Amino acid sequence: QVASLPVADAVRQQIPSTVTTLHRLLGSRPDSRHFRHDAGNPLPLDVLVVDEASMIDLEMMASLLDALPAHARLILLGDKDQLASVEAGAVLGDLCRDAEAGGYSAATRAWLEAQTGERMADPALVPGEQALAQHIVMLRHSRRFAGASGIGRLARAVNQADAQAARATLAAGSDDLHVLRLAGEQDRALERLLLEGLVDGERRAQGYAHYLQVMQAERPAPDADIQAWDGWAGRVLAAFDQFQLLCAVRKGPWGVETLNQRIAQALQRRGLLEQEHGWYEGRPVLVTRNDYSLGLMNGDIGIALRLPEPPEFLGAPLRQVLRVVFPRNDGSGALRHILPSRLSAVETVFAMTVHKSQGSEFAHCALILPDSLNPVLTKELVYTGITRARHWFSLVETRAGIFEQSVLRRVERRSGLREALES
């Protein structure tokens, strides 16, 4: 991405291209909640940009601010309406609670117009002088999906906690929205959606069968070179990214654990997987804990594939070994191949929780809601699930009314941060 920026080469060379986690940046210490960098040993930087800032909890933000040198600039990027952090607090939501209204002073408004070339004539923007508001900019144009698309309109209605408008958007019919109401746990329509996807005119919203068909149909010849095998592995990974099932919960018939098993069994019955437990070719896995020695981060997704091994000696027969292939996190497009035995913190990821999906996007995304209300079912969870989809979103309902009730509920957290800022 840095290489594609329209700037002079001298400027491009000065732009950092390395990415790290906050824990690694601060220098986490084993068996401790303290970090190597703090007020007495600040970070050696001038500007820090933190993406997916909605996932930062109150304690982590306090540690980060302690470790920043006095002259440094901190830039937080994120969606304030997404799910808040797993730990205490909703830092980005508290900071940006009134972002829609603007609250800009005349000087800030003039500066923004000069920098962006856009007139800030929206009557919804109200003037103000509060110091915090002068440092918040709300981006209102989605580059993942069009605001007027079905996905955009549905996300907006859910974010406004307007259950009636959300249901009307789903009922109105749109090429990028699909609703599946199940008659029970054994309804075969769910299997058809998850494996085969949807047909949208000349385009197809894929299901999980697609990436396995690519894996089988495009496999290189045994004696192909490493570039051919890497190209094949990259296409399998890209095909898997075309679809993802999201769940609100981990346990129960509509949770991650049960649905991962059901999907693997269904794919095995179709002849697309050789087995449905243990390590097998085609198994998609999610990293659940950072492993810096392997260069893997919590949330990385890889797929187990059989790849050729160099012959042990001249004339030895070619053999293939199961390795898990992950895309590198450096933007190079390169892949890393890791033996399954080296992966200690992974889980099958045909289904993943909405919480785990934050920061990801998929061409076709399906969200399945359980058949009973649960404390995690809120508008923030539904909104986050919807906004993972680029082109198609499918809502799978196991019981009538759960969707509307979820949209009407919101996460309520009282960390005291907003009140402290306003005082």
Side-chain angles (χ1 to χ4, degrees):
Q1 292 177 336
V2 172
S4 65
L5 292 175
V7 297
D9 289 341
V11 175
R12 186 180 294 108
Q13 293 172 4
Q14 298 300 315
I15 300 175
S17 58
T18 56
V19 180
T20 186
T21 64
L22 287 179
H23 282 85
R24 193 170 196 186
L25 175 72
L26 293 173
S28 59
R29 293 174 170 172
D31 304 317
S32 171
R33 300 184 75 88
H34 299 287
F35 296 94
R36 184 165 54 86
H37 288 287
D38 53 21
N41 180 31
L43 292 163
L45 52 79
D46 300 310
V47 178
L48 178 62
V49 180
V50 183
D51 196 12
E52 298 296 338
S54 63
M55 300 169 70
I56 305 176
D57 61 75
L58 202 60
E59 184 180 13
M60 174 57 74
M61 182 60 77
S63 298
L64 178 62
L65 293 175
D66 277 345
L68 284 180
H71 69 275
R73 176 175 296 180
L74 175 63
I75 301 174
L76 303 176
L77 304 174
D79 188 338
K80 70 179 181 64
D81 299 312
Q82 277 189 191
L83 282 166
S85 58
V86 175
E87 301 294 338
V91 176
L92 191 69
D94 283 343
L95 293 176
C96 304
R97 187 175 63 189
D98 300 322
E100 285 90 350
Y104 298 134
S105 67
T108 301
R109 192 178 188 124
W111 183 86
L112 284 170
E113 290 180 343
Q115 295 297 316
T116 64
E118 297 183 12
R119 298 291 299 169
M120 301 180 67
D122 190 333
L125 294 175
V126 298
E129 297 291 338
Q130 188 188 48
L132 178 61
Q134 314 314 309
H135 299 273
I136 297 173
V137 174
M138 183 172 177
L139 305 180
R140 300 168 191 266
H141 177 73
S142 171
R143 300 191 180 277
R144 180 172 295 167
F145 47 78
S149 67
I151 295 174
R153 288 183 283 112
L154 179 62
R156 191 159 49 250
V158 169
N159 197 29
Q160 295 169 352
D162 191 337
Q164 185 176 358
R167 177 58 71 184
T169 301
L170 290 168
S174 177
D175 291 341
D176 57 349
L177 294 177
H178 175 67
V179 179
L180 175 61
R181 297 181 178 88
L182 299 181
E185 291 184 27
Q186 303 306 316
D187 193 330
R188 300 301 293 271
L190 177 62
E191 181 178 315
R192 289 194 295 271
L193 171 68
L194 299 182
L195 271 60
E196 301 167 12
L198 303 165
V199 176
D200 171 23
E202 297 181 356
R203 301 191 302 167
R204 186 175 190 90
Q206 300 290 356
Y208 284 127
H210 172 61
Y211 88 95
L212 293 170
Q213 291 163 348
V214 171
M215 182 185 78
Q216 294 177 354
E218 301 185 19
R219 185 188 303 274
D223 59 349
D225 59 25
I226 189 62
Q227 287 78 17
W229 283 99
D230 270 357
W232 168 72
R235 292 192 295 276
V236 175
L237 284 166
F240 182 79
D241 276 346
Q242 292 297 298
F243 176 65
Q244 183 63 55
L245 173 65
L246 302 181
C247 303
V249 295
R250 290 193 61 85
K251 305 289 186 179
W254 310 112
V256 166
E257 295 175 2
T258 299
L259 288 170
N260 269 323
Q261 294 176 351
R262 286 183 60 181
I263 295 167
Q265 291 167 357
L267 289 168
Q268 186 188 26
R269 288 196 298 269
R270 294 279 186 99
L272 295 170
L273 291 179
E274 57 194 20
Q275 61 189 61
E276 41 88 11
H277 61 274
W279 282 105
Y280 50 85
E281 186 173 46
R283 180 190 178 192
V285 295
L286 175 77
V287 176
T288 58
R289 187 173 65 244
N290 295 340
D291 189 329
Y292 298 113
S293 66
L294 296 177
L296 297 177
M297 298 293 112
N298 183 9
D300 285 352
I301 292 177
I303 297 178
L305 298 172
R306 285 199 182 89
L307 297 168
E309 283 283 284
E312 295 181 357
F313 55 87
L314 189 62
L318 294 174
R319 66 190 186 98
Q320 295 184 351
V321 173
L322 197 67
R323 292 183 181 270
V324 185
V325 181
F326 292 90
R328 290 190 178 273
N329 296 316
D330 56 8
S332 65
L335 305 174
R336 53 167 50 93
H337 309 149
I338 299 174
L339 286 169
S341 59
R342 299 189 65 191
L343 298 171
S344 60
V346 295
E347 60 185 36
T348 303
V349 70
F350 290 116
M352 72 165 67
T353 62
V354 176
H355 281 84
K356 284 287 186 182
S357 75
Q358 290 187 92
S360 302
E361 60 178 57
F362 310 93
H364 177 203
C365 181
L367 172 64
I368 186 166
L369 298 179
D371 55 5
S372 61
L373 275 178
N374 183 292
V376 304
L377 291 175
T378 62
K379 79 176 185 70
E380 288 84 3
L381 181 134
V382 177
Y383 170 82
T384 303
I386 294 168
T387 54
R388 300 311 91 203
R390 287 196 305 271
H391 304 307
W392 299 276
F393 173 74
S394 296
L395 175 67
V396 182
E397 296 185 277
T398 60
R399 179 184 167 192
I402 296 295
F403 172 75
E404 285 83 355
Q405 292 179 70
S406 301
V407 171
L408 292 172
R409 302 167 69 190
R410 64 174 64 214
V411 174
E412 295 287 350
R413 291 191 175 183
R414 293 287 184 269
S415 67
L417 174 60
R418 185 72 189 193
E419 292 75 11
L421 290 170
E422 291 177 344
S423 63

